[in-house]
Amino acid sequence: MSRTPPRDPARLKPATRLVHAGRDPSAQHGFVNTPIYRGSTVLYPTYDDIQHRRGRYNYGTSATPTMDALTAAWTEVAGAAGTVVTPSGLAALTVALMASVSAGDHLLVTDSAYRPTRQFCDGVLARFGVAVEYYDPTLGAGIAGLMRENTRAVLVEAPGSQSFEMQDVPAIAEVVHARGGTVIMDNTWATPLLFPPHERGVDIAVEAGTKYLSGGSDLLIGLTSANRKHFPAVRRTFDHFAMCAGPEDIFLALRGLRTMPLRLKEHGRQGLAMARWLQARPEVLRVLHPGLPEDPGHAIWRRDFSGASGLFGVILKPVPEVAVAAMLDGLDLFGMGFSWGGFESLVIPFDCAPYRTATRWAPGGPALRFHIGLEDIEDLKADLEAGFARLRAAAG
């Protein structure tokens, strides 16, 4: 006898819900997972059916059983009214923005936003007549002073990409909603497991499932979830662009969903332990991690978040660039590459100064972004210990 989904998922803890959400073995001949449905054409049995579009599915770009399984699961986990799945995190964010602003509108974007987000805002939205303005991510309710009559949306990201400033999302949402605006959030760092966006006042939440949902560094996928008021616009925009993810990627995302709580918990535990270890290093000026009590955003993080992921920043004490290169080039376990959220540890150098416009980025030394993977933490420390020795030697 095949099993049906739990009758009352709301009573279940998040980890249990992630195991069962979006699955219906009774509809799959008892098989645990929804299979991969590939296809474009959906056949209708009669003339009358196709004339009136009767049937759950009508074309491969709009929905498939595989896509429905993921959107249903993510909607439940995020506490949303609905979700669409896109080919990347950036695609998910463009759907959210295009659903929220039109020509002549004013859009406020945190100065700490993911750089490709800025490129879309400055290169596409501005070209179509949207006035884009960047703001200090630490403003909180003070964002009221930047809002205009035509401010339609405010984009937040907490913590900020690379620079890791925390934002007071509930305070911003209260101000924006009082003036009839929409709050959009890039929630990739935390996922809904650590920060439930729609409970905190976010109207449209964006996740790069490429990161922790995947967990394997082997797929590109994005999710845009929205509350009841805003989901119709999100869905219309998604349909207008036919911005659908591939069926194999959706299947891999569903597979990653089932183990995400365990992986995210371990990433967070190891990341915080490594952040504390780095904080004590003589080569380090400071660590950018909201989970550290010394971090300026720690109080907001403790109030609004239930944990941390494995991504954080480090500011080194001033050394020549050749010394940083010597440190990074010899690492065995930390790869140098973009993205994060996979099982492997990563590090990249970064500099926000060239593209910040509302705030000044002057950290006082070279900046590195770390993602702590699932390797043994003592091995990771040993790899960095050897890297710091190379840095000191090259610095003279």
Side-chain angles (χ1 to χ4, degrees), residues 225-294:
S225 65
N227 58 23
R228 192 170 304 280
K229 178 181 178 181
H230 291 83
F231 183 67
V234 167
R235 182 69 212 199
R236 281 195 304 272
T237 304
F238 171 81
D239 288 334
H240 291 163
F241 283 95
M243 201 182 288
C244 55
E248 285 81 7
D249 287 344
I250 294 174
F251 181 84
L252 288 174
L254 277 165
R255 188 170 69 177
L257 184 78
R258 311 308 175 190
T259 61
M260 188 170 70
L262 291 173
R263 291 184 285 101
L264 189 58
K265 184 177 181 180
E266 186 65 6
H267 283 297
R269 185 189 70 80
Q270 296 224 124
L272 193 54
M274 187 62 80
R276 291 192 181 105
W277 182 80
L278 286 163
Q279 194 177 38
R281 294 290 311 184
E283 303 87 354
V284 171
L285 184 63
R286 68 180 185 277
V287 176
L288 312 176
H289 191 310
L292 296 173
E294 299 80 8

Side-chain angles (χ1 to χ4, degrees), residues 63-267:
T64 68
T66 316
M67 191 188 302
D68 279 352
L70 181 56
T71 57
W74 196 261
T75 296
E76 182 179 323
V77 171
T83 302
V84 296
V85 183
T86 64
S88 69
L90 181 59
L93 196 124
T94 62
V95 166
L97 289 168
M98 294 295 283
S100 304
V101 295
S102 303
D105 288 345
H106 176 236
L107 170 68
L108 285 166
V109 178
T110 176
D111 209 27
S112 58
Y114 176 54
R115 192 175 186 182
T117 299
R118 300 177 74 104
Q119 292 168 339
F120 177 78
C121 290
D122 297 339
V124 177
L125 293 184
R127 184 160 57 92
F128 283 98
V130 176
V132 180
E133 181 181 356
Y134 295 93
Y135 66 91
D136 184 336
T138 64
L139 272 181
I143 201 167
L146 297 179
M147 295 192 72
R148 310 174 188 172
E149 288 295 322
N150 63 334
T151 302
R152 294 291 175 265
V154 175
L155 176 65
V156 300
E157 183 173 336
S161 287
Q162 299 186 338
S163 49
F164 296 94
E165 299 96 336
M166 287 300 299
Q167 291 197 263
D168 192 336
V169 176
I172 292 172
E174 185 176 358
V175 170
V176 174
H177 291 158
R179 302 189 179 207
T182 301
V183 178
I184 304 168
M185 181 178 186
D186 186 333
N187 194 38
T188 302
W189 185 86
T191 81
L193 293 180
L194 304 180
F195 182 88
H198 302 295
E199 288 182 19
R200 300 284 189 266
V202 175
D203 298 302
I204 305 174
V206 173
E207 318 273 347
T210 303
K211 276 66 172 178
Y212 289 115
L213 176 58
S214 163
S217 301
D218 55 3
L219 70 89
L220 293 166
I221 201 162
L223 305 108
T224 308
S225 65
N227 58 23
R228 192 170 304 280
K229 178 181 178 181
H230 291 83
F231 183 67
V234 167
R235 182 69 212 199
R236 281 195 304 272
T237 304
F238 171 81
D239 288 334
H240 291 163
F241 283 95
M243 201 182 288
C244 55
E248 285 81 7
D249 287 344
I250 294 174
F251 181 84
L252 288 174
L254 277 165
R255 188 170 69 177
L257 184 78
R258 311 308 175 190
T259 61
M260 188 170 70
L262 291 173
R263 291 184 285 101
L264 189 58
K265 184 177 181 180
E266 186 65 6
H267 283 297

Side-chain angles (χ1 to χ4, degrees), residues 273-347:
M274 187 62 80
R276 291 192 181 105
W277 182 80
L278 286 163
Q279 194 177 38
R281 294 290 311 184
E283 303 87 354
V284 171
L285 184 63
R286 68 180 185 277
V287 176
L288 312 176
H289 191 310
L292 296 173
E294 299 80 8
D295 190 89
H298 181 70
I300 293 175
W301 176 80
R302 283 197 65 182
R303 184 193 69 192
D304 293 341
F305 289 69
S306 61
S309 65
L311 192 76
F312 61 91
V314 168
I315 308 300
L316 300 175
K317 291 177 180 176
V319 290
E321 187 175 14
V322 64
V324 179
M327 175 188 176
L328 300 186
D329 285 347
L331 292 174
D332 289 328
L333 301 180
F334 285 85
M336 281 188 287
F338 298 103
S339 198
W340 40 276
F343 51 80
E344 81 286 18
S345 293
L346 298 171
V347 60

